[in-house]
Amino acid sequence: MPYESAFFDRIIDRRGTNCQKWDGMAERCGVSPEDGIAMWVADMDFRPPASVPAALQRMIDHGVFGYAAGDAGMREAVARWMAERHGWQVDPAHIFSTDGLVNAVALCLDVWSSPGDSVVVFSPVYHAFGRVVRAAGRELVECELALEDGRYTLDFERYDAQMTGRERILLLCSPHNPGGRVWSRAELEGVAAFARRHDLLIVSDEIHHDLVLPGSPRHTPTALIDGVEDRLVTLTAPTKTFNLAGAHIGQVTIADPRLRTAFAERLASLALYPGAIPPVIAEAAYSDEGAEWLSGLLPYLDANRALVDEAVAAIPGLASMPLEATYLAWIDFAGTGMAADEFTARVEKGARIGVNRGTTFGTGGETFLRFNLATPRARVAEAMERLRTAFADLQ
């Protein structure tokens, strides 16, 4: 198999390539890319499946970049992937293309809510949710996740009490970013019941659905929950799975004809249509080659997770949340007794590691930092050694 550990161990220098993760680290994290380790932006430092550059090379060799006839091939590839990997039977005609999933979220807010309406999230959660909701003039309602035995759970009785009747949409992150939870079927049934009680549209961002680590519970698409079809929009993409984030490829799947018509009409009114290149990339990724690449990636990520968990457990006051999915470690510094500015400075200025600050994920993230583990193991090991040194006085 070509996608063994050696493939992912390869160090690829991304500096000087207009790379946000590395070239933007100094501005965002105060960590120089010259001697820092980038563990913040959620993309990987690995090359994608060979099928992707091969497909692009065929386009380059052809040399003519005219209008495409559509994205039917991509939609069919998505439907095959969902059926084979997730047991979800999708009609390709129910799939729309968007410019990534943040764009998809913004479009959903535009179609199904109005300025002044409220949008619900389970917080802490992917930081772009709050940014887009506020930019659209909607109110963000943070229903804080409960911490039980070091992992996040849902407290619907508490959330029911927060609802005012102005809420229109629930933005669900499944699997959860940054906590790495794979929500169980029972929990998703609870989400569906909560949405029905408060007449909420569920916009389920499932971009991390392929990144479930070995030994973890299986991801359940929200679309497989009974009685949810008439209030569900599902967002998926190949970008997190195959490290294609810069291509801004997103898919919006809507089974309900009423909801589907509303979304299609809004896309048409904004003249938003798929370009020629993103569908080619997506179709190449959702392939046998892509599946083989993913089969090599997941155990590699899991070994990186184990390395981080061991290092964090050896530092008093630190705790890593059990990681079931994603490649994003959510590490709690509450036990150090330090203020966020202090433990963040130790990581960024002391250890020279660029990370995402927990406060950007909303209520409940104040004592956390998020570390991206999708980088060659040698870098992860070096980062953990730096972390131990930065908190040596606690050991």
Side-chain angles (χ1 to χ4, degrees), residues 168-245:
R168 297 290 176 266
I169 295 174
L170 166 63
L171 295 180
L172 176 67
C173 196
S174 178
H176 183 256
N177 170 16
R181 273 296 317 277
V182 175
W183 302 118
S184 68
R185 180 178 286 271
E187 286 171 316
L188 292 173
E189 288 170 349
V191 170
F194 173 74
R196 283 194 295 271
R197 284 197 297 276
H198 302 285
D199 196 20
L200 303 174
L201 175 77
I202 302 171
V203 176
S204 185
D205 178 351
E206 303 189 13
I207 196 169
H208 293 278
H209 61 174
D210 290 317
L211 297 171
V212 176
L213 299 181
S216 297
R218 182 183 175 90
H219 168 74
T220 300
T222 307
L224 297 184
I225 302 302
D226 291 338
V228 78
E229 182 177 299
D230 65 341
R231 61 177 67 251
L232 176 66
V233 175
T234 301
L235 313 183
T236 59
T239 49
K240 282 292 183 287
T241 301
F242 302 107
N243 198 30
L244 305 169

Side-chain angles (χ1 to χ4, degrees), residues 142-196:
E142 295 181 289
C143 291
E144 188 175 354
L145 294 165
L147 260 177
E148 293 184 10
D149 298 324
R151 67 203 295 266
Y152 286 133
T153 60
L154 297 157
D155 184 351
F156 293 111
E157 184 175 348
R158 180 177 166 195
Y159 307 154
D160 283 337
Q162 287 185 244
M163 298 300 101
T164 65
R166 296 192 302 273
E167 298 80 14
R168 297 290 176 266
I169 295 174
L170 166 63
L171 295 180
L172 176 67
C173 196
S174 178
H176 183 256
N177 170 16
R181 273 296 317 277
V182 175
W183 302 118
S184 68
R185 180 178 286 271
E187 286 171 316
L188 292 173
E189 288 170 349
V191 170
F194 173 74
R196 283 194 295 271

Side-chain angles (χ1 to χ4, degrees), residues 35-373:
D35 64 351
I37 299 176
M39 301 185 82
W40 63 301
V41 173
D43 67 19
M44 305 187 226
D45 293 322
F46 310 132
R47 286 186 171 166
S51 53
V52 173
L56 291 172
Q57 189 62 53
R58 287 192 293 272
M59 295 186 74
I60 292 169
D61 291 343
H62 182 263
V64 178
F65 301 93
Y67 290 115
D71 62 351
M74 181 203 72
R75 289 185 284 110
E76 290 169 3
V78 171
R80 283 195 304 273
W81 185 269
M82 298 306 166
E84 292 170 4
R85 305 285 301 199
H86 301 289
W88 177 23
Q89 304 299 321
V90 177
D91 184 337
H94 296 173
I95 302 172
F96 299 88
S97 294
T98 61
D99 186 33
L101 290 199
V102 177
N103 171 245
V105 170
L107 287 168
C108 290
L109 295 177
D110 189 55
V111 175
W112 290 296
S113 70
S114 301
D117 287 344
S118 297
V119 177
V120 179
V121 297
F122 299 133
S123 178
V125 73
Y126 177 42
H127 45 73
F129 284 0
R131 183 176 74 243
V132 173
V133 167
R134 294 184 179 102
R138 277 64 167 170
E139 179 191 11
L140 186 71
V141 177
E142 295 181 289
C143 291
E144 188 175 354
L145 294 165
L147 260 177
E148 293 184 10
D149 298 324
R151 67 203 295 266
Y152 286 133
T153 60
L154 297 157
D155 184 351
F156 293 111
E157 184 175 348
R158 180 177 166 195
Y159 307 154
D160 283 337
Q162 287 185 244
M163 298 300 101
T164 65
R166 296 192 302 273
E167 298 80 14
R168 297 290 176 266
I169 295 174
L170 166 63
L171 295 180
L172 176 67
C173 196
S174 178
H176 183 256
N177 170 16
R181 273 296 317 277
V182 175
W183 302 118
S184 68
R185 180 178 286 271
E187 286 171 316
L188 292 173
E189 288 170 349
V191 170
F194 173 74
R196 283 194 295 271
R197 284 197 297 276
H198 302 285
D199 196 20
L200 303 174
L201 175 77
I202 302 171
V203 176
S204 185
D205 178 351
E206 303 189 13
I207 196 169
H208 293 278
H209 61 174
D210 290 317
L211 297 171
V212 176
L213 299 181
S216 297
R218 182 183 175 90
H219 168 74
T220 300
T222 307
L224 297 184
I225 302 302
D226 291 338
V228 78
E229 182 177 299
D230 65 341
R231 61 177 67 251
L232 176 66
V233 175
T234 301
L235 313 183
T236 59
T239 49
K240 282 292 183 287
T241 301
F242 302 107
N243 198 30
L244 305 169
H248 278 217
I249 307 167
Q251 287 105 31
V252 176
T253 301
I254 308 174
D256 180 77
R258 175 182 56 86
L259 296 176
R260 195 165 61 249
T261 297
F263 194 79
E265 289 177 348
R266 194 63 181 128
L267 288 183
S269 74
L270 295 170
L272 294 177
Y273 307 104
I277 296 175
V280 170
I281 294 174
E283 187 174 353
Y286 287 127
S287 63
D288 290 343
E289 179 88 14
E292 187 178 8
W293 183 91
L294 184 59
S295 293
L297 172 73
L298 293 176
Y300 192 88
L301 292 178
D302 194 44
N304 280 1
R305 174 210 55 77
L307 192 160
V308 169
D309 284 350
E310 181 182 5
V312 168
I315 303 173
L318 274 62
S320 51
M321 188 167 285
L323 186 61
E324 297 173 341
T326 82
Y327 47 75
L328 305 166
W330 189 231
I331 299 178
D332 192 358
F333 290 76
T336 65
M338 298 177 187
D341 287 347
E342 183 180 353
F343 65 71
T344 302
R346 288 197 184 208
V347 173
E348 293 181 338
K349 294 183 174 59
R352 305 185 310 287
I353 304 171
V355 293
N356 288 102
R357 302 182 183 193
T359 51
T360 64
F361 296 88
T363 302
E366 297 83 0
T367 64
F368 289 84
L369 296 175
R370 194 186 75 173
F371 290 70
N372 181 342
L373 312 183

